[in-house]
Amino acid sequence: MKITRAEVEHVARLARLELTDAELDTFTGQMDGILAYVEKLNALDTDGIVPTSHAVPMENAFRADEPTGSIGVENALANAPQRAESFFRVPKVIE
Amino acid sequence: MEIFDLTIHELHDKLKAKEVSSVEATRAMLDRIEAVDGQVNAYITVTPEQALVEAEAADRRIAAGDIAPLTGIPMGLKDIFITKGIRTTCGSRILENFVPPYDGTAVAKLKEQGAVIVGKLNQDEFAMGSSNESSYFGPVKNPWNLECTPGGSSGGSAAAIAARTATATLGTDTGGSIRQPASHCSCVGVKPTYGRVSRYGVIAYASSLDQVGPLTRDVTDAALLLGAVAGYDPKDSTSVNTPVPDYLAGLKSGGKGLKIGLPKQYFIEGLDPDVKRAMDEAIALYKSLGAELREVSLPHTEYAVATYYLIATAEASSNLARYDGVRFGHRADEIRGLKEMYAKTRAEGFGSEVKRRIMLGTYALSSGYYDAYYVKAQKVRTLIMQDFLNAFNEVDVLLTPIAPTPPFKIGEKLADPLQMYLSDIFTIPVNLAGTCGISIPAGFSAAGLPIGLQLIGKPFGEATILSTAYAFEQETQWHLKKAPL
């Protein structure tokens, strides 16, 4: 086994995903199979190989630090599930 | 020949000659959507009122003698493109009622030319899939055979071309999501070089792989549409500031004297016999046109799928952290506290394929596994990129199949995600290498299902793959066949 049900449960907590028992069972089996498949990368010697995070060689993309327009408070709040005045309303943060 | 059958350039000529108005063309397309989309399910949202307003504006512009290649052309957009005032779902319940406050750059460029947006197209949820079966809004049916998938994730974009419910469409390609559905629906699909088209206003899946590109009826249209959306955009920090060639002007320069590479790892045992026959015919055709064909090797091809499913899922797990129920999108009811809100909202809002990929990516980035999985995959990505650079020292273009088989049946691969992932083996390496590829219609299976041909170019070699594709198209009739709808 590459991954146990308990590890899948832990990953779900990290990913902020509430999974049902059935989903945990299914994902444990499927992730185990996929992780076993990706093991094939270990057959390659990659010592000294530089990792690629970006396919096109680029330097930093800077722009002038000048204020520009924004979408405004009403537009920003237009899709809010809940709002209060000009704020996003969420359940109490402090436990 | 109906108005909805026309290519961009054919409709443009009629608009310019005042033989037809944009309002007439748009009405014809909306009627066509009404007539056949119930069978295909290519559209998530149709926007008739806005489309007719845009068409009237286009007609006024044409009357004033101001017509660009896309003025008045009815187009559909994959629902991954942010559109001001038009619901944008990305195929997900979590964005079911999301109405963006701005247009992305590609959409803004289409609107600048006066294109008419008739609606938003179905797709795999968050562009994660190869069959368009992970959409919250139901699967898309392949117009060539309604029991088959159109491919994915831009399945709606390809199916709309085949069903003739859009003159042209835009899609996105992270691991083959333009090219594979284009192949399965017998249309032309271009995955440009990474950084060629702005990703600003495109909902992110895997940021180092995602690219925007056209799906069209023929290569000329692909050149037109790519030219319209390509170019540097200061709003996208990965946009590349290099001039956009006139793709249309260079179309007729392909074929003779060209060196075409055949990567031996793509012509393997197990390739569907119909696909193999189509490839053999294409190779013979290019030889007859005076191209020089030779075998090349891309030795790390077999590692591409594993590399992709670590890198893409890692990036996705990070990108999809923004869907938390706070600022936009779905929020779960009856929650006690913030953590529960996050977990329940995401559980309700995401489908199983998206959850699976978030889980894989979270695992690959988690403490203790980061180097073993994520960094290892990034190193193998370097080797895959080097394979392409080496091959392009010998040849101008690579010719390969797009998919190992013709379109498969809806439901056929749903139970085994790994089998579904492996079907992208011929398209994924192009994304990892960041280079460009095109899919063009190259024949049909014995069962009458479309087969596509892939041409892969050097980075920023879009003009070469387009002209090479055009040379093939001039000698074949595949692109002229219509799906029986």
Side-chain angles (χ1 to χ4, degrees), chain B residues 147-159:
Chain B
E147 290 179 1
C148 290
T149 81
S153 65
S154 311
S157 300

Side-chain angles (χ1 to χ4, degrees), chain B residues 265-442:
Chain B
Q265 291 82 1
Y266 287 59
F267 295 89
I268 42 170
E269 289 300 311
L271 197 61
D272 179 277
D274 285 326
V275 174
K276 186 173 185 314
R277 180 183 42 79
M279 294 306 107
D280 289 344
E281 286 171 8
I283 290 163
L285 179 69
Y286 276 115
K287 276 186 185 157
S288 75
L289 291 174
E292 182 196 325
L293 284 97
R294 63 169 79 161
E295 188 179 81
V296 294
S297 181
L298 300 169
H300 296 96
T301 300
E302 69 169 293
Y303 302 102
V305 173
T307 302
Y308 173 86
Y309 278 98
L310 290 169
I311 290 173
T313 58
E315 293 183 11
S317 72
S318 169
N319 277 323
L320 271 62
R322 73 193 59 169
Y323 304 103
D324 54 10
V326 175
R327 292 151 300 142
F328 48 77
H330 174 75
R331 180 189 291 188
D333 294 329
E334 295 173 31
I335 37 180
R336 299 157 307 186
L338 199 65
K339 279 187 183 167
E340 190 179 284
M341 183 186 84
Y342 293 154
K344 265 195 157 61
T345 293
R346 291 159 64 80
E348 291 174 5
F350 293 142
S352 61
E353 183 60 38
V354 173
K355 288 177 186 171
R356 189 163 34 245
R357 295 196 197 197
I358 289 173
M359 293 285 289
L360 268 171
T362 304
Y363 182 75
L365 292 175
S366 64
S367 176
Y369 296 106
Y370 183 87
D371 286 335
Y373 287 112
Y374 184 62
V375 176
K376 180 77 182 183
Q378 287 189 311
K379 288 182 171 184
V380 181
R381 184 177 186 180
T382 304
L383 298 174
I384 290 165
M385 286 174 69
Q386 283 171 353
D387 284 353
F388 279 94
L389 290 175
N390 294 340
F392 284 127
N393 284 333
E394 294 178 51
V395 295
D396 305 304
V397 173
L398 300 170
L399 184 155
T400 79
I402 285 280
T405 66
F408 46 91
K409 289 262 166 59
I410 291 171
E412 191 180 313
K413 296 189 182 183
L414 275 182
D416 188 350
L418 189 54
Q419 280 313 305
M420 185 83 89
Y421 296 172
L422 288 169
S423 68
D424 293 337
I425 178 65
F426 300 145
T427 51
I428 279 173
V430 174
N431 300 80
L432 291 169
T435 192
C436 58
I438 186 170
S439 175
I440 49 173

Side-chain angles (χ1 to χ4, degrees), chain A residues 14-31:
Chain A
L14 293 176
R16 300 284 183 269
L17 276 172
E18 188 178 84
L19 299 183
T20 62
D21 282 342
E23 280 176 317
L24 280 170
D25 290 337
T26 305
F27 285 160
T28 301
Q30 288 173 339
M31 286 174 73

Side-chain angles (χ1 to χ4, degrees), chain A residues 40-51:
Chain A
K40 71 187 310 181
L41 298 186
N42 291 331
L44 284 172
D45 178 4
T46 50
D47 282 354
I49 302 290
V50 179

